[in-house]
Amino acid sequence: MIDWNNIKQTVLSRYEEGLRQTPQSPVYHAEGDAYVHTQMVCDALKRLPEYKELNQRQQHILYVSALLHDIGKIHTTRLVDGDWHTPHHAPTGSNMVRELLWKEYGLCGNQELTQIREAISLLIRYHSIPPVVIERDTPCLKLHRMAANNMLAPDFSIHLLCILCKADMLGRKCADQQEVLEKIALCEELAREEGCYEGCYPFPSVHTQRAFLSGLDMWKDQELYDDCWGEVVLMSGLPGTGKDAWIKQNVPDLPMISLDDIRRANKIPPTAAQGKVANIAREQAKEYLRRHQPFVWNATNITAQMRESLVSLFETYHAHVRIVYLETNWLSLLKRNSSREDSVPQSVIEGMMGKMTPPETYEARKVEWRIV
């Protein structure tokens, strides 16, 4: 069971001083510092009719998301040309929340807890998107990519995201409040029209889903011919999550490209430049891809940028890609890592966790989150 009351009572106090010391642009936040804004957002959320209609679990998830939605501003706020700016505060805050809920509040270790944690992290990551999505070149694609995460984190939806975004706007003093609320309403209407307001659109096949979410200009109900010859498994997860064991148990017959093995064979420490390791691994992959040989790529792959370059390479050769993300609770992770011959320092793992984003549905043909 999740002790929601403990989270609500203690989590904001942890960041109170930092938020109080975080100024905001008087143009968009005339109410004052980030702490005042956070309090106003939480109050506005509880008053929203849409919030009151949600079940208790959804209310808990949204309220914690509201409490923590702007903690990224503590580290990203900058004074530029006489005004305060907060570039990338949403993804920064999302990563901070993931680490906090995983390590200190135990939202890890089983599928449900991970899904709840990631629903909160996704809501925070994307809470700035609804007012601006209509102005994007591909608003429908962005909505579908976000909504597809409902397949991995069932508590996340465009519906809940827009409720959080409304509370965020109502919890501030600014001249364009009504205009922005109208843009959020347009986002909601578009998501309803696109069939992704409550969850992922029901694409006719996984191949069509992958093609559409990858950005291919196509009709989302179009049944595409699948010309892929086989599957490449791309592992993802922090050191000590059991990637080697999972491979032995689930795909033991597939050849494996292991960056750890390449480092050992070439006597390259993990702390050294990794360009040579990556080049060797990619050349091995190309050999398998040219022969249409399925294989496993075994590395941490903790960021979307890392995964994207590999998925692009594999799909260029007409392989379809399955990303398998593994995680465990914090203490088990540290214990497993310490028992490895080439264990990674705890400080390095903590740094990696701060940067990590689990794979999202749109990143590959198939994405799995496995708790080990």
Side-chain angles (χ1 to χ4, degrees), residues 100-114:
L100 174 74
L101 296 180
W102 187 337
K103 290 170 60 177
E104 299 190 34
Y105 288 92
L107 268 67
C108 59
N110 70 49
Q111 200 75 15
E112 182 182 14
L113 294 177
T114 295

Side-chain angles (χ1 to χ4, degrees), residues 44-54 59 159 163 166 170:
L45 178 66
K46 290 189 289 186
R47 291 195 301 268
L48 281 172
E50 302 98 309
Y51 177 77
K52 295 176 182 178
E53 292 171 359
L54 300 174
Q59 288 181 346
H159 178 193
I163 295 175
K166 287 179 188 176
L170 292 169

Side-chain angles (χ1 to χ4, degrees), residues 286-305:
K286 289 176 183 178
E287 284 295 319
Y288 290 136
L289 293 164
R290 283 191 283 265
R291 300 204 310 262
H292 290 184
Q293 168 65 59
F295 64 94
V296 181
W297 181 288
N298 185 13
T300 55
N301 298 311
I302 58 172
T303 68
Q305 185 178 10

Side-chain angles (χ1 to χ4, degrees), residues 54-66:
L54 300 174
N55 62 46
Q56 190 176 60
R57 174 172 166 140
Q58 291 173 317
Q59 288 181 346
H60 284 315
I61 287 170
L62 262 183
Y63 194 79
V64 170
S65 300

